[in-house]
Amino acid sequence: AYKRLSEQGFEVAVLPVDRFGVVSAQALESAVDERTVLVSLMAVNNELGAMEPIDAAAKIIKQKNAPALLHADAVQAFGKYPLFPERRGIDLLTVSAHKIHGPKGAGALYVRSGVHLVPQTVGGEQERRLRAGTEPTIAIAGFGGAASVLEPGKHLPRVTALRDAFVRELQTLDDVVLNSGSDASPYIIHLSALHRPSEVLLNFLSENGVYVSAGSACAKGHRSPVLAAAGLDSERINSALRISLSDKTTEDELQYCLDVLRQALRVIRKKR
């Protein structure tokens, strides 16, 4: 999206991140000025689980007296954390159904009262004339059902405890290094099993009933721009695994994942 904006004549600043994928608040402050019209950040990075500086961004926009709208991609945060967009100075917030156990193909955009958007898809009256096309009614209803039973933040302490115990066991495994920071979202654990290609690991794990990923669906089949931006070397990128937890994850499931991962490290020969 930002490349298209650049092609349309907008000046786009892509901010650097640290080794855990956290956007630099200092770089953000330097980039925002009286000409800035939009600041867009993830609330939680979808690969490394980094908690991005949303509140700092809102404060910087206000301090710089910038006309910018603040957009938060909250797909990985929705239902897991209390969000309160208006209270936090968020003007636009995107969420997706499939991350809260709803159906794929439905999402939502929160628009703060007073913000007026130009439609990107025209030709119909749907969605308050903002997005033409027939709505997927069943998927939307499923999204509403999943959202109606959410209790944001309720499961965070339990999931954090599960993540911490899991990570302690991971740190005992040879050739396994963690890429997620200690203050990352506990719902995402990112690691590299050095010298074992991600694809081979994924196949072994899935054949044994463990389903994880090597990156985000957005970059499927391509080198992860998130990991490259975080400065990870080729070995860690090529052997990366992302393990996602949910409010329904159990201790037994994580123990089984560890057992299969240990087996994978023994069986899969190191690739030098």
Side-chain angles (χ1 to χ4, degrees):
Y2 74 87
K3 291 181 180 179
R4 178 174 294 182
L5 289 172
S6 182
E7 292 168 356
Q8 293 173 349
F10 290 91
E11 181 182 341
V12 178
V14 179
L15 302 178
V17 298
D18 65 17
R19 62 185 294 265
F20 299 118
V22 180
V23 171
S24 165
Q26 184 177 358
L28 178 60
E29 185 173 8
S30 298
V32 173
D33 59 29
E34 68 279 357
R35 300 176 303 140
T36 307
V37 296
L38 176 68
V39 174
S40 182
L41 293 170
M42 286 181 161
V44 176
N45 182 270
N46 61 331
E47 290 190 52
L48 292 170
M51 306 287 288
E52 303 298 353
I54 298 293
D55 295 325
K59 184 177 180 180
I60 289 168
I61 291 170
K62 186 175 182 180
Q63 288 176 339
K64 292 292 189 78
N65 198 28
L69 297 176
L70 176 58
H71 166 254
D73 175 345
V75 170
Q76 291 285 354
F78 186 47
K80 300 176 176 70
Y81 302 91
L83 292 171
F84 306 114
E86 187 172 2
R87 185 186 306 175
R88 297 177 65 183
I90 298 170
D91 302 294
L92 303 163
L93 183 140
T94 45
V95 296
S96 181
H98 73 288
K99 292 299 182 182
I100 60 168
H101 310 295
K104 291 182 178 181
L109 171 66
Y110 160 86
V111 182
R112 179 179 58 78
S113 177
V115 173
H116 301 286
L117 301 179
V118 176
Q120 299 299 301
T121 306
V122 298
E125 300 292 312
Q126 294 89 350
E127 309 218 28
R128 299 182 182 179
R129 299 184 180 180
L130 287 176
R131 189 173 186 273
T134 302
E135 297 102 328
T137 305
I138 295 175
I140 292 171
F143 189 7
S148 69
V149 297
L150 287 178
E151 297 177 278
K154 176 182 178 181
H155 302 284
L156 188 58
R158 187 183 71 85
V159 175
T160 300
L162 285 175
R163 186 275 307 270
D164 290 346
F166 186 74
V167 165
R168 284 194 294 270
E169 290 297 318
L170 284 177
Q171 291 172 329
T172 67
L173 302 181
D174 292 337
D175 294 331
V176 170
V177 292
L178 288 168
N179 301 320
S180 298
S182 59
D183 56 353
S185 168
Y187 290 90
I188 296 176
I189 301 169
H190 198 283
L191 60 91
S192 293
L194 301 179
H195 317 303
R196 281 87 169 178
S198 297
E199 185 176 355
V200 178
L201 283 165
L202 288 175
N203 289 337
F204 185 94
L205 293 171
S206 64
E207 287 172 1
N208 287 275
V210 176
Y211 302 99
V212 297
S213 65
S216 74
C218 307
K220 188 175 181 180
H222 301 280
R223 185 184 181 87
S224 167
V226 172
L227 305 185
L232 272 65
D233 60 37
S234 296
E235 178 56 49
R236 289 174 75 166
I237 294 175
N238 294 337
S239 59
L241 291 178
R242 181 186 66 168
I243 301 172
S244 298
L245 281 62
S246 80
D247 60 321
K248 302 183 186 304
T249 301
T250 67
E251 186 177 351
D252 288 344
E253 288 172 334
L254 288 177
Q255 184 58 56
Y256 181 71
C257 177
L258 276 169
D259 293 342
V260 175
L261 183 57
R262 285 193 184 95
Q263 185 181 1
L265 294 173
R266 291 195 301 268
V267 171
I268 300 172
R269 295 179 60 186
K270 295 184 180 181
K271 184 178 180 181
R272 298 288 186 178

